[in-house]
């Protein structure tokens, strides 16, 4: 079996099954462990600049990847005008750079904040390295092998659909430069790490996180009227 | 921790089974088929450049008819599987085209086509001439503003040419400004586009071939720009534009409500 088959036929299926199966198992059997493991209570000033930039940037980029997968023809038509192609590519690169900036702030924060370091696990480091590598290779591709939004619909989109329809076409990816193959392979690594790390919080669709107050404190206290009523009841019953 | 280990082992078994099933299924898709016809393989893969009559294109693609080199079957097989570029001399004339490796052909295909070439029983072309191409239409195809009929990708997705320099940066494929010069004329370019000459392009155009008119239009466009002096900006506009965009995005974060920047606990403290 060639490396090509291992990386672009076997690895994707292994990764997808692990990600789906592992996540289902974890959400059903260990529901309380499904968490983003937020450290905002420990440090939140750098977190705002890092987390906000990273999450909004990466969400926009991932959405663009997903839209290209489900409606490649729209991308081809959009990119048929040079001006629209340039706007899409520059915006995409800016969003990626925004996400990268946020990620670097988050890494700096994790390296410098002692409070955050105390709760940092090995898996957190793996996730940081994986996501950082994925953003860097993606930007490298955007700069060095343009225009990904245009050729992607004719290389990666048919490749991913070939995986989904169980008729893998690794020959689409096999002749591509190393960085493009690395970007694809890192995604399988990302999927494999998914159910075993804080990455699972992605499937919880935390949409309110994008607009809610940065930190929410929920007071756990008993209702005063309820307490007063209870006291009265207990007194009239002759208890205590 | 036990549960995680249990999870991993259960999924690992499932994965093993799935992967094994996949690998077992893969060869079965090839199936047992009738032996390929050498002429069919030739017309589908070789005739665009070497011509149906086997006489090739002067200066670009050498003739196979009457060519003594084709009698060496191992040599022909190595050229088909590995491709060939750079000048070669055949029957006293020099040819400088580019032949891609034909990774799409099976061993049986290659054997049958070698037998067909060696038999030198090529049939005359007859009425296979391309209509003259339209330069403007060719440029529209290059840029993707006119989509290829069979939905193949536009050239500009991966290539630069003439004054279309992809924001002055690196592209996936090479610059095509002097393509017609390298191939030895528009006819050779049109012929080569039948089977795109790179392993990256071949699977993209597999099942999405260009029509005769599209090939002729593109060839006319490449012929018209072949002498263009390319000028590009020394600055990579994608890089600079992207960095400016990033700064704008970070600046926009200053507009976020102070509650998001400071956190609820800080607000409570400041109210004391």
């Amino acid at each position: 079996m060639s490396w090509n088959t291992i990386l672009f036929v076997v690895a994707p299926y292994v990764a997808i099954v692990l990600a789906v199966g592992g996540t289902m198992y974890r959400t059903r059997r260990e529901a309380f462990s499904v968490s983003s493991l937020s450290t905002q209570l420990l440090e939140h000033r750098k977190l705002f600049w890092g987390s906000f930039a990273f999450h909004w940037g990466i969400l926009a980029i991932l959405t663009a990847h997903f839209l290209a997968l489900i409606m490649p023809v729209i991308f081809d038509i959009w990119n048929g005008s040079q001006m629209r192609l340039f706007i899409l590519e520059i915006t995409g690169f800016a969003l990626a750079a925004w996400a990268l900036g946020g990620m670097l702030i988050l890494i700096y924060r994790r390296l410098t904040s002692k409070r955050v370091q105390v709760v940092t696990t090995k898996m957190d480091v793996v996730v940081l390295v994986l996501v950082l590598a994925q953003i860097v290779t993606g930007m490298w591709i955007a700069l060095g092998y343009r225009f990904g939004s245009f050729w992607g619909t004719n290389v990666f989109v048919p490749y991913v659909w070939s995986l989904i329809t169980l008729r893998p076409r690794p020959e689409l990816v096999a002749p591509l430069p190393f960085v493009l193959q690395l970007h694809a392979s890192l995604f399988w690594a990302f999927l494999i790490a998914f159910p075993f790390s804080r990455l699972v919080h992605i499937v919880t669709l935390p949409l309110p996180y994008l607009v809610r107050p940065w930190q929410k404190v929920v007071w756990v206290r008993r209702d005063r009227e309820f307490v007063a009523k209870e006291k009265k009841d207990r007194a009239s019953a002759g208890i205590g | 921790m036990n549960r995680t280990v249990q999870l991993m082992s259960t999924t690992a078994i499932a994965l093993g089974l799935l992967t094994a099933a996949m690998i077992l299924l893969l060869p079965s898709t090839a199936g047992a088929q009738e032996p390929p016809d050498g002429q069919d393989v030739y017309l589908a893969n070789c005739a665009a450049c070497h011509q149906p009559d086997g006489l090739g294109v002067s200066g670009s693609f050498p003739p196979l008819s009457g060519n003594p080199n084709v009698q060496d079957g191992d040599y022909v097989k190595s050229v088909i599987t590995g491709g060939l570029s750079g000048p070669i001399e055949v029957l006293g004339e020099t040819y400088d085209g580019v032949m891609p490796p034909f990774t799409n052909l099976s061993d049986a295909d290659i054997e049958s086509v070698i037998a067909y070439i060696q038999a030198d029983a090529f049939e005359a072309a007859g009425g296979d001439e391309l209509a003259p191409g339209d330069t403007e239409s060719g440029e529209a195809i290059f840029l993707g503003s006119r989509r290829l009929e069979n939905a193949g990708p536009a050239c500009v997705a991966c290539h630069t040419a003439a004054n279309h320099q992809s924001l002055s940066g690196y592209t996936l494929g090479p610059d095509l400004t002097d393509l017609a010069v390298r191939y030895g004329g528009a006819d050779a370019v049109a012929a080569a586009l039948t089977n795109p000459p790179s392993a990256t392009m071949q699977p993209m155009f597999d099942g999405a071939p260009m029509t005769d008119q599209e090939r002729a239009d593109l060839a006319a466009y490449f012929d018209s720009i072949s002498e263009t002096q390319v000028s590009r900006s020394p600055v990579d506009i994608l890089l600079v534009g992207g960095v400016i965009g990033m700064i704008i995005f970070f600046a926009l974060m200053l507009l976020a409500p102070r509650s998001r920047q400071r956190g609820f606990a800080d607000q409570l403290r400041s109210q004391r």
Side-chain angles (χ1 to χ4, degrees):
Chain A
M1 194 162 30
S2 68
W3 275 109
N4 197 32
T5 313
I6 293 170
L7 278 178
F8 302 116
V9 181
V10 178
Y13 286 110
V14 169
I16 291 165
V17 174
L18 251 179
V20 174
T23 307
M24 280 171 66
Y25 181 94
R26 186 161 162 187
T27 46
R28 291 177 77 90
R29 299 294 295 273
E30 295 184 29
F32 285 110
S33 77
V34 176
S35 160
S36 64
L37 298 177
S38 170
T39 50
Q40 67 180 20
L41 277 169
L42 306 176
E43 195 290 325
H44 65 81
R45 282 164 214 273
K46 291 192 217 48
L47 182 71
F48 168 73
W49 291 98
S51 180
F52 188 99
F54 166 71
H55 279 102
W56 277 95
I58 208 72
L59 275 177
I61 294 288
L62 285 176
T63 306
H65 278 64
F66 180 70
L67 288 179
L69 182 66
I70 58 170
M71 45 176 87
V73 177
I74 304 289
F75 273 67
D76 286 349
I77 293 170
W78 172 275
N79 286 334
S81 144
Q82 287 276 280
M83 189 47 72
R84 291 196 301 255
L85 169 66
F86 296 162
I87 288 172
L88 178 65
E89 285 283 333
I90 291 176
T91 310
F93 190 76
L95 285 165
W98 193 29
L100 176 68
M103 181 43 92
L104 291 176
I105 293 171
L106 290 177
I107 290 173
Y108 174 75
R109 169 179 177 268
R110 214 160 259 278
L111 290 175
T112 52
S113 166
K114 282 189 178 151
R115 287 170 155 201
V116 177
Q117 273 179 358
V118 170
V119 295
T120 300
T121 63
K122 280 180 189 159
M123 205 36 142
D124 291 335
V125 178
V126 170
V127 168
L128 280 179
V129 170
L130 265 180
V131 176
L132 180 70
Q134 201 60 317
I135 298 174
V136 169
T137 52
M139 291 173 71
W140 185 351
I141 291 165
L143 274 187
Y145 301 95
R146 59 196 72 176
F147 288 106
S149 68
F150 215 162
W151 55 249
T153 58
N154 287 280
V155 182
F156 280 121
V157 169
Y159 166 65
V160 173
W161 277 112
S162 79
L163 292 176
I164 294 170
T165 53
L166 302 179
R167 289 176 183 179
R169 291 180 63 197
E171 73 272 15
L172 280 158
V173 196
L176 294 177
F178 171 75
V179 190
L180 278 72
Q181 297 187 341
L182 181 64
H183 192 65
S185 308
L186 279 172
F187 182 65
W188 313 136
F190 177 88
L191 286 183
I192 289 169
F194 192 89
F196 302 106
S197 67
R198 63 196 337 197
L199 289 170
V200 280
H201 80 273
I202 294 171
V203 290
T204 57
L205 278 183
L207 295 181
Y209 275 71
L210 298 175
V211 289
R212 70 160 215 201
W214 200 237
Q215 186 173 318
K216 222 177 200 174
V217 175
V218 179
W219 297 107
V220 182
R221 62 178 181 192
R222 303 181 75 183
D223 186 271
R224 279 182 192 165
E225 282 181 26
F226 174 79
V227 175
K229 186 174 178 290
E230 196 185 29
K231 250 185 184 171
K232 200 174 151 193
D233 288 350
R234 285 161 77 93
S236 62
I239 310 166
Chain B
M1 201 60 198
N2 272 342
R3 278 187 176 170
T4 316
V5 174
Q6 195 185 348
L7 158 71
M8 284 180 77
S9 54
T10 322
T11 39
I13 293 166
L15 294 173
L17 289 173
L18 181 83
T19 312
M22 288 272 317
I23 294 160
L24 286 172
L25 279 171
L26 280 178
S28 69
T29 53
Q33 287 170 352
E34 289 198 4
D37 181 88
Q39 187 177 18
D40 290 344
V41 178
Y42 181 82
L43 291 175
N45 296 281
C46 321
C49 295
H50 295 289
Q51 304 299 305
D53 57 11
L55 295 177
V57 175
S58 181
S60 302
F61 308 117
L64 301 179
S65 178
N67 180 341
N69 299 338
V70 303
Q71 293 310 320
D72 181 352
D74 290 341
Y75 168 72
V76 179
K77 187 172 182 181
S78 72
V79 172
I80 293 173
T81 53
L84 186 65
S85 60
I88 54 166
E89 197 173 304
V90 175
L91 299 169
E93 195 182 339
T94 306
Y95 299 87
D96 198 9
V98 178
M99 175 162 163
F102 282 78
T103 49
N104 57 322
L105 297 180
S106 67
D107 283 348
D109 288 335
I110 293 172
E111 274 171 34
S112 69
V113 81
I114 291 175
Y116 177 75
I117 292 167
Q118 288 177 335
D120 204 348
F122 298 99
E123 289 177 9
D128 224 356
E129 289 278 301
L130 286 181
D134 177 63
T135 308
E136 275 184 31
S137 179
E139 185 174 19
I141 293 172
F142 180 88
L143 294 176
S145 55
R146 197 185 123 193
R147 295 194 69 216
L148 289 169
E149 198 174 307
N150 295 319
C155 316
V156 79
C158 305
H159 297 282
T160 51
N163 54 346
H164 303 301
Q165 286 297 316
S166 298
L167 299 171
S168 301
Y170 298 101
T171 44
L172 180 60
D175 183 81
L176 301 179
T177 308
D178 62 348
L179 187 70
V181 176
R182 279 191 277 142
Y183 273 69
D187 288 348
V189 172
L193 288 174
T194 315
N195 263 308
S198 85
T200 314
M201 288 175 80
Q202 280 168 0
M204 290 196 218
F205 285 93
D206 187 21
M210 295 177 212
T211 65
D212 290 350
Q213 190 59 51
E214 287 166 345
R215 287 190 293 122
D217 291 347
L218 273 174
Y221 170 64
F222 287 126
D223 200 32
S224 74
I225 60 169
S226 58
E227 303 293 330
T228 308
Q229 286 295 318
V230 174
S231 66
R232 0 179 4 152
S233 152
V235 177
D236 186 336
I237 300 164
L238 177 56
L239 176 63
V240 173
V243 170
I244 292 172
M246 177 196 71
I247 294 168
I248 293 172
F249 285 134
F250 268 111
L252 285 174
M253 288 172 68
L254 291 169
L255 299 178
R258 279 178 69 79
S259 62
R260 280 186 66 92
Q261 289 182 38
R262 296 174 62 215
F264 195 70
D266 261 9
Q267 290 175 56
L268 285 181
R269 275 185 219 117
S270 65
Q271 282 168 14
R272 264 192 222 159

